[in-house]
Amino acid sequence: MTILHKILLSAIFIGCSTASAQTSAHDTIDVAILGDSNTWLGGDHCDKPKGWNTYFKAAYNPKSCVSFARSGATWTNTTNTVLDRNENVGIITDNNVIYNQVCRLIEAVEISKTPRPHLIIIACGTNDAWFEKKRPQIWSASVDDAIADETIVAKDPSENPSLAQSVVQDCLLIRQFFPSTQIVLLTPLQTTAVSIDKIGRVGDTIQKCGDLLGIPVIRQDKVCVVKASDEKQHRTNTYDGTHTNATGAKANGEIIAAAISKLTDNPN
């Protein structure tokens, strides 16, 4: 065997070892994802080309990855929100909220339909900013008020009709049923449908909830590739100014996978 052959074989061996390490790094982690239409686009099995979660799954390579997202979902409850694990209508309704996705996930785990997740990602907030009129109590309570409410988890969702209350209740409900699970929150992407200020206000509220609860938050409006100014000029990473095309979904999924890898691979 020549020296050149030895060098090539050595390089191939190192390359294969590196690739194996990268693809097996998260093969013990079961992931559940909650969210709105930009997550729903990836499908329940995270395998459709317009959803960021499809490319997150490919890059992060978990043991399993399932989506409970629903098109039209909001974080924010209303005074008419009730428990409803089955509604799947694709539009904004009183019951199309993250609370009900959390309850559907809990049920799926309890009946062994879905593995108990090691990681739960919640990507929501666009519709809260976009359809504020359909969530009239969205700003009725502050994050500090929600955090201070020691009974917030036990309340009906209709008693928590602000964005802050909804985020805090849902996160604490997850902790109650999955105490060892890592939660990561994703703020909404920029969109041409609503101002950056409104998206930012929703993102800031989610950020503060995460900070006070000790939950990591990824600011999609700041780190992801969808930029409202660009999309207004030319549809680049979305097909309508809000929802990602395959190009935008792939870029966002890989950004999120890298960010979450830092959190799960280096928890301290």
Side-chain angles (χ1 to χ4, degrees):
M1 181 179 293
T2 68
I3 293 176
L4 178 60
H5 286 160
K6 290 180 179 179
I7 292 172
L8 289 173
L9 286 174
S10 177
I12 291 170
F13 175 78
I14 292 170
C16 291
S17 299
T18 301
S20 176
Q22 288 173 341
T23 55
S24 63
H26 308 112
D27 61 2
T28 61
I29 297 179
D30 292 301
V31 180
I33 305 177
L34 315 182
D36 54 26
S37 54
N38 265 316
T39 304
W40 171 84
L41 284 171
D44 293 350
H45 302 290
C46 306
D47 57 3
K48 307 298 183 184
K50 293 181 181 178
W52 67 270
N53 44 330
T54 295
Y55 305 97
F56 163 82
K57 179 182 176 182
Y60 191 74
N61 197 31
K63 182 179 181 181
S64 69
C65 190
V66 61
S67 171
F68 289 79
R70 288 288 181 260
S71 180
T74 65
W75 272 109
T76 310
N77 303 320
T78 77
T79 55
N80 295 314
T81 299
V82 297
L83 175 63
D84 187 340
R85 300 185 186 91
N86 299 316
E87 182 182 86
N88 185 8
V89 292
I91 59 174
I92 294 181
T93 66
D94 291 323
N95 295 333
N96 193 0
V97 293
I98 294 296
Y99 176 88
N100 279 323
Q101 293 182 34
V102 172
C103 293
R104 191 153 51 89
L105 168 61
I106 292 169
E107 180 183 60
V109 171
E110 288 181 338
I111 65 175
S112 300
K113 182 179 178 181
T114 297
R116 179 173 291 271
H118 303 91
L119 170 65
I120 295 174
I121 304 168
I122 309 178
C124 196
T126 300
N127 295 320
D128 301 72
W130 191 354
F131 299 99
E132 191 174 307
K133 290 182 179 179
K134 293 183 180 293
R135 296 295 185 259
Q137 303 296 316
I138 184 171
W139 307 117
S140 61
S142 69
V143 176
D144 291 329
D145 291 337
I147 293 289
D149 185 353
E150 296 180 355
T151 65
I152 195 167
V153 180
K155 289 181 175 179
D156 291 333
S158 60
E159 298 178 87
N160 293 316
S162 75
L163 173 61
Q165 290 170 311
S166 300
V167 174
V168 171
Q169 180 182 36
D170 296 347
C171 290
L172 292 180
L173 184 61
I174 289 171
R175 280 187 170 166
Q176 179 177 309
F177 281 88
F178 308 116
S180 61
T181 294
Q182 169 79 70
I183 305 169
V184 178
L185 307 181
L186 310 187
T187 65
L189 293 165
Q190 292 184 28
T191 169
T192 60
V194 65
S195 72
I196 292 177
D197 287 344
K198 286 189 175 182
I199 288 291
R201 185 179 185 187
V202 170
D204 290 346
T205 300
I206 295 168
Q207 175 83 65
K208 187 172 181 179
C209 288
D211 290 346
L212 293 181
L213 291 171
I215 295 172
V217 178
I218 298 173
R219 292 299 300 252
Q220 289 199 101
D221 54 328
K222 297 180 179 180
V223 304
C224 286
V225 299
V226 176
K227 303 300 179 186
S229 57
D230 294 339
E231 298 301 317
K232 287 177 181 178
Q233 297 296 322
H234 177 72
R235 299 291 189 244
T236 304
N237 292 299
T238 73
Y239 61 83
D240 62 358
T242 299
H243 301 95
T244 52
N245 55 26
T247 300
K250 183 176 188 295
N252 287 348
E254 291 174 352
I255 288 169
I256 293 164
I260 290 180
S261 291
K262 290 180 180 179
L263 294 171
T264 59
D265 299 355
N266 303 289
N268 297 320

